[in-house]
Amino acid sequence: ETGVTQTPRHLVMGMTNKKSLKCEQHLGHNAMYWYKQSAKKPLELMFVYSLEERVENNSVPSRFSPECPNSSHLFLHLHTLQPEDSALYLCASSLSTSGSNEQFFGPGTRLTVL
Amino acid sequence: GQNIDQPTEMTATEGAIVQINCTYQTSGFNGLFWYQQHAGEAPTFLSYNVLDGLEEKGRFSSFLSRSKGYSYLLLKELQMKDSASYLCAVRDPRDTGRRALTFGSGTRLQVQP
C-alpha cells in the first residue's frame, strides 16, 4: 500500500465510450502524474500536475483529458479511444517535482479498448 | 533527446549476487532512480543517486558515474521474491521543466532456486 489509490483497477470499453480514471493520494504530496505502461515499452509520461498547475506532454492525443480539482485527486477522462490505447495507466505522486523526491505509484488501471 | 538502456532480461540463482546496468544519454541530469515492479503491481522506489559513488541500502546498492552516463543496481543474497522488473529512471531538468522522469524499458530479473 503506497498511499496512492486508483479506480477502477480494470476497465473494458468500446471506442465510442466515455470513461474516467480516478487517482487519489493520501500522502500530502503536491505533484501528481499520469503514466502509460504498454507491454515491452518504457513507462511513458502523459501529464504532470504540480500545485494544480498542468505541464502537458505534447505527444498525448486529445482523446485523453486530465483534470486535477485539488492536490489530492487526479482524473483522466477518456473518449473515442483506439485499440492501441490499451495499456496499464499508472498514477503517481511526489512531494515536489524536483530533487530526490521519489514518486509513489498507484496500482494502476488495466485498460482494454475493444 | 533522451535514451536509457537496460538489458531486457537477466537470470540469477537464489543466494547469488546480480548487477543490473543502466546507461543513459540525456540533455541534462538531475538524479537517477531505481524502481522495482512485480508483475501486475505498481513500481516501488528502491534508490536515488545524484552524486557519483555507491549508495547502499540493505541488500540493494546503487552506483552512479555521471561522466560515463552509467549506473548499476546490485542485489546481494538474492531471494525468490526479488524476481521482478527493475526500472532505471533519470530526471532531466531540461525535460518538461524538471518535472518528469524518463524511464528505461526495465530489466526483468528471474531468480531461480
Side-chain angles (χ1 to χ4, degrees):
Chain A
E1 191 65 41
T2 63
V4 181
T5 58
Q6 290 187 242
T7 55
R9 295 294 308 275
H10 299 272
L11 178 62
V12 179
M13 59 187 290
M15 290 190 286
T16 58
N17 293 156
K18 288 185 180 181
K19 297 287 184 183
S20 295
L21 309 185
K22 179 182 177 182
C23 176
E24 184 174 0
Q25 57 97 0
H26 312 275
L27 301 168
H29 288 167
N30 294 313
M32 296 187 76
Y33 312 76
W34 280 117
Y35 286 91
K36 176 183 179 183
Q37 189 174 36
S38 304
K40 310 285 186 184
K41 289 186 177 181
L43 269 169
E44 179 185 343
L45 177 72
M46 299 179 73
F47 301 104
V48 181
Y49 277 83
S50 177
L51 295 172
E52 299 161 38
E53 172 196 349
R54 185 172 85 184
V55 176
E56 182 170 352
N57 184 312
N58 291 332
S59 64
V60 180
S62 59
R63 56 185 183 270
F64 295 91
S65 174
E67 178 189 1
C68 187
N70 55 62
S71 59
S72 299
H73 293 86
L74 185 66
F75 295 90
L76 187 63
H77 303 300
L78 316 172
H79 66 97
T80 59
L81 294 192
Q82 304 297 312
E84 60 263 30
D85 297 322
S86 298
L88 181 68
Y89 288 85
L90 289 163
C91 173
S93 72
S94 62
L95 186 60
S96 76
T97 56
S98 61
S100 63
N101 293 297
E102 71 266 29
Q103 296 177 12
F104 292 79
F105 285 84
T109 295
R110 175 68 63 184
L111 174 67
T112 302
V113 182
L114 301 176
Chain B
Q2 299 170 329
N3 192 35
I4 299 179
D5 289 316
Q6 307 177 234
T8 304
E9 293 185 354
M10 298 183 70
T11 302
T13 304
E14 191 176 15
I17 299 173
V18 71
Q19 178 175 311
I20 302 174
N21 296 324
C22 171
T23 58
Y24 63 89
Q25 295 171 311
T26 56
S27 303
F29 179 81
N30 194 25
L32 185 144
F33 296 78
W34 283 97
Y35 282 83
Q36 180 191 60
Q37 186 177 24
H38 286 98
E41 298 183 12
T44 55
F45 170 77
L46 288 177
S47 68
Y48 171 76
N49 295 71
V50 68
L51 299 176
D52 291 350
L54 189 68
E55 294 281 341
E56 297 186 78
K57 191 184 291 186
R59 294 189 299 114
F60 293 5
S61 303
S62 57
F63 171 83
L64 175 68
S65 170
R66 289 171 296 170
S67 62
K68 295 181 180 178
Y70 168 69
S71 173
Y72 67 73
L73 180 69
L74 194 69
L75 290 73
K76 302 176 185 176
E77 301 170 15
L78 279 173
Q79 302 175 9
M80 298 299 290
K81 67 178 182 179
D82 297 329
S83 294
S85 288
Y86 291 86
L87 312 179
C88 173
V90 173
R91 174 170 279 135
D92 181 349
R94 302 182 198 186
D95 179 44
T96 61
R98 284 186 298 175
R99 292 174 171 87
L101 289 182
T102 301
F103 283 83
S105 298
T107 298
R108 186 184 301 178
L109 174 66
Q110 181 76 34
V111 180
Q112 297 179 337

